[in-house]
Amino acid sequence: MNIRILEKDENSIKFILEDVDVAFTNSLRRIILAEVPTMAIDDVIIIENSSPLFDEIIAHRLGLIPLKTDLDAYVLPEKCECGGEGCANCQVALTLEVEATDGPMTVYSGHLKSQDPKIVPVSEKIPIVKLAKGQKLVLEAYARLGQGKEHAKWQPVSVAAYKYLPIINLDYEKCDQCGACVEACPREILELKNGELVIGDVFNCNLCKSCEEACDLEAIKISFDDRTFIFTIEGTGVLPPERILEEAVKILAEKADQLIEEMEKVKGT
Amino acid sequence: MKIKILERTDRELEFELEGEGHTLCNLLRKVLLEDEDVTFAGYRIEHPLIGKPKVYVRTNGEKDPLEAVIEAAKKIKKMAEEFREAFLNSLKGSHYE
């Protein structure tokens, strides 16, 4: 197994994963989407709401606000000592108290005051509701760790996807530089330069084979390497992308451990 | 994860994996099939929402199928660790650290 990082920034990562099979890559992708825990608001107590939106709509909007997650300080409620009732190890309280005193205003995620300075909205500019003069919104919200399989608000990523590494084969002897494949390629990978066909960014190819269809001479062939993947992750900002991956493999290793343990138990009987 | 053994002989094993899905089962199936002594491995989720996967393993009799599953699980763990190392190394080696 070999990894080469192609791009990385604060929220996203793109890398090449070599010499693994699809089953492993897909497990990893599924774990990232469904099982890496993140923080999100789950319980809301509305104290006063004279805004035009119903309580439940506000609660739903609050739930969808991505919160920066500290996985070292919090545990999943079902794994918590308190038994999921809610304690300082598995729950964070956030409060919101806004009144539109001087005319219409918008309530933003930045108005939420968190009990823990580490657990704050990723962005302060997410609108929650618009208030007219005199309207008021007072509430108490409880955030907890959760998993994407329960609700999408707990997904740490907006994109986690992979594709096979494309291979573009050009037969220069057959090619007559007609340019039909250049026209056909939706990703604009191919280019005619000084009467010669040049392949640009192979990683960008989506394996559509439009170029193959366009070529009457069968000079271009598209194939892929089914043991090499281009893996893309775009986080929502709750966790850094490298942490998301680390957590995902940790979860996979834990699953394997559990399976070994359970099987050893059966073996003894 | 809860395991319920449905059938067990010296060359056949069928069990239910409560609380798991395609994520683990497909990988387990794939790794089991790489074992020379395993002649068949597969799984089935009867209902996409509420089904519990049933995993079935058959060996050629040289190996206890339960042992084959344990070995496969160990291989999966090794793969996960290998990935972790490769990933951390690639982070270190690049200017992205």
Side-chain angles (χ1 to χ4, degrees), chain A residues 162-223:
Chain A
Y162 59 81
K163 68 173 180 189
Y164 292 126
L165 182 78
I167 299 168
I168 304 173
N169 265 315
L170 257 182
D171 191 337
Y172 286 98
E173 279 176 18
K174 279 186 190 164
C175 180
D176 64 353
Q177 290 89 33
C178 68
C181 54
V182 179
E183 287 284 308
C185 182
R187 294 288 175 97
E188 296 171 348
I189 292 163
L190 303 163
E191 205 186 336
L192 268 178
K193 243 186 208 163
N194 308 326
E196 186 129 334
L197 194 58
V198 188
I199 303 168
D201 182 13
V202 184
F203 298 151
N204 202 9
C205 174
N206 66 357
L207 300 166
C208 71
K209 300 198 178 184
S210 297
C211 48
E212 252 184 56
E213 269 169 43
C215 188
D216 301 325
L217 305 163
E218 294 184 357
I220 191 160
K221 275 269 166 305
I222 303 292
S223 59

Side-chain angles (χ1 to χ4, degrees), chain A residues 88-102:
Chain A
N89 286 329
C90 61
Q91 211 175 50
V92 190
L94 295 102
T95 50
L96 185 82
E97 193 172 354
V98 185
E99 191 180 356
T101 43
D102 331 302

Side-chain angles (χ1 to χ4, degrees), chain A residues 109-182:
Chain A
S109 54
H111 286 114
L112 280 164
K113 282 191 191 70
S114 176
Q115 181 192 32
D116 181 345
K118 274 185 183 165
I119 312 294
V120 289
V122 163
S123 167
E124 292 190 341
K125 292 177 192 152
I126 303 168
I128 296 166
V129 62
K130 240 176 170 174
L131 300 180
K133 192 178 176 183
Q135 289 180 341
K136 203 174 170 186
L137 182 63
V138 185
L139 56 85
E140 219 174 277
Y142 293 95
R144 68 166 175 94
L145 283 181
Q147 291 171 312
K149 61 181 168 188
E150 199 182 331
H151 191 289
K153 67 184 176 186
W154 281 301
Q155 278 184 4
V157 293
S158 45
V159 176
Y162 59 81
K163 68 173 180 189
Y164 292 126
L165 182 78
I167 299 168
I168 304 173
N169 265 315
L170 257 182
D171 191 337
Y172 286 98
E173 279 176 18
K174 279 186 190 164
C175 180
D176 64 353
Q177 290 89 33
C178 68
C181 54
V182 179

Side-chain angles (χ1 to χ4, degrees), chain A residues 263 266, chain B residues 3-8 13-16 66:
Chain A
M263 280 297 165
V266 177
Chain B
I3 287 179
K4 200 171 125 196
I5 303 285
L6 302 172
E7 200 191 333
R8 188 184 169 193
L13 178 70
E14 193 180 8
F15 58 95
E16 211 173 64
L66 207 100

Side-chain angles (χ1 to χ4, degrees), chain B residues 41-73:
Chain B
Y43 75 98
R44 182 173 153 76
I45 296 174
E46 287 193 356
H47 190 284
L49 299 176
I50 52 165
K52 299 166 197 160
K54 277 181 190 158
V55 185
Y56 178 83
V57 193
R58 187 165 62 210
T59 63
N60 58 9
E62 300 278 310
K63 193 186 272 174
D64 180 0
L66 207 100
E67 198 54 52
V69 174
I70 293 175
E71 274 174 32

Side-chain angles (χ1 to χ4, degrees), chain A residues 240-255:
Chain A
E242 59 272 24
R243 184 72 199 261
I244 296 173
L245 271 165
E246 267 188 72
E247 286 299 321
V249 278
K250 208 171 98 190
I251 292 167
L252 185 60
E254 274 168 20
K255 277 181 190 293

Side-chain angles (χ1 to χ4, degrees), chain B:
Chain B
M1 190 188 293
K2 242 166 86 185
I3 287 179
K4 200 171 125 196
I5 303 285
L6 302 172
E7 200 191 333
R8 188 184 169 193
T9 64
D10 57 341
R11 58 168 69 195
E12 271 181 306
L13 178 70
E14 193 180 8
F15 58 95
E16 211 173 64
L17 259 180
E18 200 181 330
E20 292 299 331
H22 295 285
T23 309
L24 183 67
C25 293
N26 188 41
L27 181 57
L28 186 67
R29 185 196 117 256
K30 176 84 194 181
V31 176
L32 276 169
L33 287 173
E34 282 167 8
D35 189 331
E36 275 182 8
D37 291 325
V38 173
T39 51
F40 183 84
Y43 75 98
R44 182 173 153 76
I45 296 174
E46 287 193 356
H47 190 284
L49 299 176
I50 52 165
K52 299 166 197 160
K54 277 181 190 158
V55 185
Y56 178 83
V57 193
R58 187 165 62 210
T59 63
N60 58 9
E62 300 278 310
K63 193 186 272 174
D64 180 0
L66 207 100
E67 198 54 52
V69 174
I70 293 175
E71 274 174 32
K74 281 180 184 162
K75 269 187 212 162
I76 292 172
K77 206 186 164 197
K78 229 172 97 188
M79 281 162 97
E81 269 155 20
E82 211 182 309
F83 178 90
R84 202 184 125 85
E85 255 170 54
F87 182 66
L88 292 179
N89 277 340
S90 68
L91 272 182
K92 245 183 239 163
S94 69
H95 54 281
Y96 292 120
E97 196 189 7

